[in-house]
Amino acid sequence: MSTPSTTQKLSAEALGTFILVFGGCGTAVLAGEHVGFIGVALAFGLTVIAGAYAFGHISGGHFNPAVTVGLASARRFSWSEVPGYAIAQVVGATIAAAVLYVVASGKDGFTLDNGFASNGYADRSPDGYSLLAVLVVEAVLTAVFLYVILGASAKAAVPGFAGLAIGLSLTLIHLVSIPVSNTSVNPARSLGVAWFAGGDALTQVWAFILAPVVGAAVAGFTHHFIGGRED
């Protein structure tokens, strides 16, 4: 297979992020009352597994600006490509949220008052957690996510299992943090639905951009102390 072009890479990132947001947030919005937060956690993990194997060979399968920043911090990705990837991811997430809005609003009684799977702190946290608690859990769990990604995708790792390990780790992350912040660890996922939820969802979305990016960068800059550099 020839080396993917920039257009192919960005298209893969947009489509992969679309699947992640539509699959994960779609489960929360359309089926949350049936599957519960465990089902939502599984949905996010399954979408990452599917996306990693479908598009990983094209773009690397980031689907998350924080992951892109973390990989660049670890010298696994070029900083010059970070802006393009981030834009493609946000576009994919926004289109997914738009499609989800069209579907969800087709049911009588639909309202955005339930948050439309957006993230939040204080009175918008599912269980009322503070801003500090949300920033900590988002930064720490995004760092954990990056450590798993960097380890599972290393040259010395068992080949073929990276997507599975990454998807299962995202499921675990959601099981821990859905009650705290409704789980972001992904600025594109947060922005995509926040545009439509509006109000406090947009006012608070900064936390779900800042904390995941900081956590990912810390993991990227420190991972070599554990696994060494890959030149």
Side-chain angles (χ1 to χ4, degrees):
M1 181 178 176
S2 59
T3 301
S5 66
T6 298
T7 299
Q8 289 173 320
K9 291 178 180 178
L10 298 182
S11 297
E13 282 299 304
L15 182 54
T17 310
F18 174 95
I19 294 171
L20 170 66
V21 173
F22 191 75
C25 294
T27 300
V29 172
L30 304 176
E33 63 182 18
H34 302 293
V35 301
F37 81 87
I38 294 176
V40 174
L42 285 170
F44 274 101
L46 290 171
T47 59
V48 166
I49 292 172
Y53 288 114
F55 306 113
H57 64 288
I58 301 172
S59 65
H62 301 186
F63 318 139
N64 180 339
V67 170
T68 301
V69 168
L71 291 172
S73 300
R75 302 183 185 178
R76 299 273 192 92
F77 189 72
S78 171
W79 280 106
S80 65
E81 294 187 77
V82 170
Y85 266 53
I87 292 170
Q89 291 153 358
V90 172
V91 168
T94 302
I95 295 172
V99 174
L100 178 58
Y101 179 83
V102 171
V103 174
S105 62
K107 181 179 179 180
D108 288 340
F110 169 74
T111 177
L112 290 171
D113 291 343
N114 60 8
F116 198 57
S118 59
N119 305 109
Y121 53 83
D123 60 340
R124 296 199 72 258
S125 161
D127 281 358
Y129 284 85
S130 68
L131 171 59
L132 178 60
V134 166
L135 290 174
V136 170
V137 81
E138 287 288 331
V140 169
L141 290 179
T142 307
V144 169
F145 192 39
L146 262 294
Y147 284 129
V148 172
I149 291 171
L150 290 165
S153 62
K155 294 176 182 178
V158 178
F161 288 94
L164 184 61
I166 293 166
L168 289 175
S169 70
L170 188 61
T171 298
L172 174 61
I173 284 167
H174 278 76
L175 290 174
V176 172
S177 58
I178 284 177
V180 182
S181 62
N182 216 22
T183 311
S184 170
V185 300
N186 184 337
R189 166 262 189 273
S190 296
L191 278 168
V193 293
W195 306 130
F196 296 88
D200 288 341
L202 273 175
T203 301
Q204 295 188 2
V205 77
W206 66 269
F208 304 98
I209 298 172
L210 177 64
V213 168
V214 169
V218 169
F221 284 122
T222 61
H223 180 262
H224 71 277
F225 290 114
I226 302 169
R229 295 282 188 196
E230 288 198 1
D231 298 322

